[in-house]
Amino acid sequence: EIDIVIEDGGDGPEKTKIDEEIFLERLPAGFRPVYEKWIDIWKKNNLIVTYGYDGFSLRSNEHFGNKQKYIYATLNKGVTLIKDADADNLQIDSENYKRYLSIIRDVPCAKEFLALNKTYIAHSRLTAEELDKIFKATTLITTEEDNKFD
């Protein structure tokens, strides 16, 4: 016998997860092509994009035996960067992390956010080109083959 318990979520409206199309439709102007490009690249390279209530996480298919989250992107908060502690937790070797940082340093607010140990960079602080660099740097951590993502 299986007991099913449905808990009342409280007084607020019920939250539902979004999907790729809803996420892309709700992005700030100018960012959709960047997201479409990288979501396509990630899928073709067996990375996993998992949608939640306000955005998605990017995970490896299998990284050291489990699914590691490399990036979060949300409609309200923006995108995350991989900080030193994250690199350690993800077991990213120092050469790959240096390569990541060398690309990220070309994004002015990314340097500031890393220095201040902030978690999210709002879309309003980024250009589409800067977001593209962040996604490229993050994706390069997942592979040794630089040329797959240009």
Side-chain angles (χ1 to χ4, degrees):
E1 183 179 321
I2 299 173
D3 290 330
I4 299 174
V5 177
I6 300 173
E7 293 186 17
D8 184 1
D11 295 335
E14 187 176 321
K15 282 190 161 195
T16 57
K17 290 186 177 182
I18 62 173
D19 61 17
E20 181 177 327
E21 193 54 39
I22 291 170
F23 179 79
L24 293 172
E25 285 174 5
R26 293 180 182 172
L27 283 168
F31 289 100
R32 183 178 178 133
V34 176
Y35 276 96
E36 287 176 326
K37 168 188 167 183
W38 286 103
I39 290 170
D40 184 53
I41 288 170
W42 295 329
K43 288 178 180 178
K44 286 179 180 173
N45 287 280
N46 297 317
L47 296 169
I48 299 168
V49 179
T50 304
Y51 289 87
Y53 300 108
D54 186 42
F56 67 83
S57 64
L58 173 67
R59 302 168 186 225
S60 63
N61 192 16
E62 198 165 300
H63 185 85
F64 297 101
N66 57 31
K67 295 175 182 169
Q68 299 289 344
K69 296 174 187 137
Y70 289 102
I71 199 166
Y72 290 95
T74 73
L75 296 166
N76 293 323
K77 295 179 184 177
V79 297
T80 59
L81 298 175
I82 298 173
K83 300 179 277 190
D84 290 344
D86 301 324
D88 290 342
N89 290 337
L90 290 166
Q91 299 178 5
I92 298 168
D93 68 69
S94 62
E95 287 306 310
N96 268 347
Y97 191 59
K98 285 178 189 173
R99 179 171 61 166
Y100 170 84
L101 290 176
S102 72
I103 296 168
I104 292 297
R105 286 194 180 105
D106 288 340
V107 179
C109 66
K111 281 177 25 180
E112 171 192 338
F113 274 62
L114 285 173
L116 296 173
N117 205 30
K118 300 247 182 196
T119 303
Y120 284 90
I121 298 179
H123 289 107
S124 62
R125 298 283 312 267
L126 294 168
T127 66
E129 294 78 20
E130 291 169 338
L131 180 64
D132 188 71
K133 286 181 184 182
I134 290 170
F135 286 165
K136 179 178 183 175
T138 303
T139 306
L140 287 174
I141 284 176
T142 70
T143 183
E144 297 298 322
E145 300 175 48
D146 291 8
N147 59 353
K148 289 173 74 172
F149 306 115
D150 287 325

